[in-house]
Amino acid sequence: MEQIEQLIITQKTFFSSGKTREVAYIKSKLQALKSAIISNETAIYEALYKDFKKSKFEAYLSEIGIILSELEMTLKNIENWSKPKRIRAAALNFPSKDYIFSEPYGAVLIIAPWNYPFQLAIAPVISAIAAGNTVVLKPSELTTHTAQLIEDILSTVFERQHLKVMQGGVPETTALLKNRWDYIFFTGSVPVGKIVAKAAAHYMTPVTLELGGKNPCIIDDSVDLKLTAKRLVWGKFVNAGQTCIAPDYLLVKDTIKSELIEHLKIEITSAYGENPENSEDYPRIVNAKHLERLEHMLKDVSIVHGGVINKQDNYFAPTLIDAPSLDSKVMEGEIFGPILPILSYANETEISKIINRYEKPLGFYVFSNRKEFYKTLIKTHQFGGGSVNDTMIHFGNPRLPFGGVGDSGIGAYHGRLGFDTFSHKKGITIKANWLDIPLRYAPYSKKLNMIHRINPLINTK
Ligand code: NAD
């Protein structure tokens, strides 16, 4: 505790010096971070492989590449993002000039999960540093090799007064949360999100909570089944299904379900071979506890593909389950692994009935060539974000907000929105003195009529 308190004091003192807000300084640090990531590319591959046998391709696509694009975008735009933004003044305040100032919060705590252990730790760091904050980063204790490498890389780029990595599990995170932070950014599960929100409430600390949910994927009978199956297999089994925005379960038009299942089987084999355990591209489950959690979901269900487990290596085959009961374990909560339950619907009321059993999800997917069908579904249901005729790809556009709603999270980030997440927006009106319209001053006697007439005409744009 003492060590943490001391660190926070050191960081707050550094923040007060104003250095963390100097754009040239921030840019030099982000540039150094970019170089350090590029020169550590092989080490990142190795760490991710040691943690859960992630392939180089997936490591680049979903961890390194995304971070390099985020850095590039931030470096290009930071001057513009940091500038006070002049906005239209209110006519009632005439004459005045109005601005929005972006002000860093101060001491930021970032807590990261294990499933994309590099990307989900570094992306919020980039935004927090860009906005001018100091950072303490707590990576996941379940992916130890990546956590150590993150510490090694970041400690070569940042002095501890600016950014410090603190490794540890529940006791260490609990100790961190006992302190007063100016902002907390958490990515992880809903139950831990609630612990973080409670700890933050103690000091009225603002939070972003990037959580999870049971993401539905609806498929109607207007689609090309082969293409749909290919995209589904990619979205569900990338990272062995350990993705917060992976499609959790399918809701398929009853008339095409059997045919889609056959296509899914073909696409799984096409991607990972007859035995995915031998595929270099198929990762492992992060640890034995999570493997066991997933194994329980196979009880009392009809496995139509996969279902093979190798406990020696935390291997869990890409698995398809046909028509599980809504009361089964696999339909209880977020799966977060390579199990795909396939349910069917006869009409649109049935779709909503199933989706509405669960809290608002983080991701939402529709495969259909009927515009009205997918537009209605998007409008009717509340969820973090999603895509039509594909899965997860909305994550790849840094100009789209990424975040949940309700149980799937509070707040959003990526790109400009990431910078905004870590800055308080100060609204400032600078009043001129060359004119002083007497309307607002007492005595008000005859002015009510006048304000009645003027009020609807102003501030309409
Ligand atoms: P988790 O909630 O178990 O852990 C996340 C972080 O919280 C870790 O750093 C961990 O050390 C810490 N932690 C765990 N228990 C704690 C406790 N009792 N008190 C304080 N800190 C604690 O989540 P996870 O297993 O690492 O990640 C999986 C979950 O995260 C899934 O639910 C997934 O949907 C979600 N997730 C969300 C996003 C997103 O961007 N919305 C991204 C990835 C994962």
Side-chain angles (χ1 to χ4, degrees), residues 117-401:
F118 189 76
Q119 186 242 121
L120 292 172
I122 306 291
V125 161
I126 295 167
S127 300
I129 292 292
N133 300 281
T134 62
V135 174
V136 169
L137 168 67
K138 212 297 288 172
S140 173
E141 72 279 22
L142 301 195
T143 35
T144 48
H145 298 94
T146 310
Q148 186 54 50
L149 185 61
I150 286 172
E151 180 167 359
D152 295 345
I153 292 174
L154 293 182
S155 63
T156 62
V157 175
F158 296 95
E159 299 90 58
R160 67 194 297 280
Q161 56 190 2
H162 195 188
L163 182 148
K164 172 88 180 111
V165 175
M166 295 205 84
Q167 294 196 53
V170 176
E172 291 77 7
T173 320
T174 307
L176 283 166
L177 286 170
K178 285 210 171 101
N179 287 274
R180 183 176 201 134
W181 301 92
D182 297 307
Y183 202 92
I184 301 177
F185 187 101
F186 171 81
T187 308
S189 62
V190 177
V192 181
K194 289 180 184 176
I195 294 173
V196 172
K198 271 189 197 152
H202 183 71
Y203 291 114
M204 294 298 278
T205 301
V207 289
T208 294
L209 301 174
E210 294 281 341
L211 311 176
K214 207 160 174 64
N215 310 320
C217 178
I218 304 116
I219 302 147
D220 82 357
D221 57 2
S222 67
V223 299
D224 172 337
L225 287 178
K226 183 174 166 49
L227 181 64
T228 301
K230 191 180 263 311
R231 290 180 179 172
L232 285 172
V233 165
W234 175 77
K236 180 68 191 187
F237 300 114
V238 80
N239 216 37
Q242 301 164 111
T243 306
C244 55
I245 48 170
D248 187 282
Y249 62 97
L250 304 187
L251 264 173
V252 190
K253 180 80 178 102
D254 47 10
T255 50
I256 58 156
K257 193 183 76 172
S258 315
E259 213 187 325
L260 178 67
I261 290 177
E262 291 317 306
H263 279 285
L264 287 168
K265 290 179 187 171
I266 294 167
E267 292 304 329
I268 290 172
T269 309
S270 152
Y272 304 111
E274 287 297 335
N275 182 2
E277 193 168 0
N278 300 330
S279 166
E280 284 182 1
D281 298 329
Y282 189 68
R284 296 304 181 252
I285 303 305
V286 73
N287 62 20
K289 198 174 138 212
H290 278 280
L291 189 84
E292 216 169 277
R293 180 182 64 79
L294 292 166
E295 192 183 9
H296 284 310
M297 294 185 189
L298 298 186
K299 277 195 189 119
D300 305 322
V301 291
S302 160
I303 299 169
V304 290
H305 189 85
V308 180
I309 293 168
N310 179 358
K311 291 193 179 175
Q312 312 279 283
D313 195 25
N314 291 337
Y315 168 75
F316 199 115
T319 298
L320 304 177
I321 293 182
D322 188 14
S325 147
L326 290 175
D327 300 321
S328 60
K329 197 102 194 123
V330 78
M331 290 310 293
E332 220 171 65
E334 181 186 20
I335 296 171
F336 215 59
I339 307 174
L340 185 61
I342 304 158
L343 302 152
S344 61
Y345 69 88
N347 55 53
E348 287 167 32
T349 318
E350 284 181 15
I351 299 176
S352 293
K353 238 184 185 170
I354 293 175
I355 293 173
N356 293 339
R357 285 173 63 94
Y358 304 101
E359 297 292 343
K360 295 166 195 170
L362 183 64
F364 190 96
Y365 307 107
V366 190
F367 285 76
S368 172
N369 286 313
R370 296 190 186 103
K371 225 177 187 171
E372 269 318 301
F373 179 72
Y374 64 71
K375 275 189 163 175
T376 307
L377 281 166
I378 290 170
K379 269 195 210 158
T380 319
H381 296 280
Q382 285 183 292
F383 54 89
S387 40
V388 173
N389 293 326
D390 214 325
T391 63
M392 310 211 293
I393 54 166
H394 59 297
F395 187 90
N397 182 353
R399 285 165 289 273
L400 286 175

Side-chain angles (χ1 to χ4, degrees), residues 73-91:
M73 188 182 195
T74 307
L75 282 162
K76 236 186 216 159
N77 291 292
I78 185 165
E79 260 121 7
N80 187 24
W81 293 347
S82 322
K83 268 189 209 146
K85 190 172 172 252
R86 175 104 188 253
I87 52 140
R88 204 185 154 96

Side-chain angles (χ1 to χ4, degrees), residues 422-441:
F422 286 102
S423 357
H424 166 63
K425 302 294 170 195
K426 261 183 182 167
I428 301 285
T429 295
I430 301 174
K431 182 83 176 172
N433 295 329
W434 57 269
L435 180 69
D436 192 35
I437 300 170
L439 179 68
R440 67 180 147 136
Y441 301 120

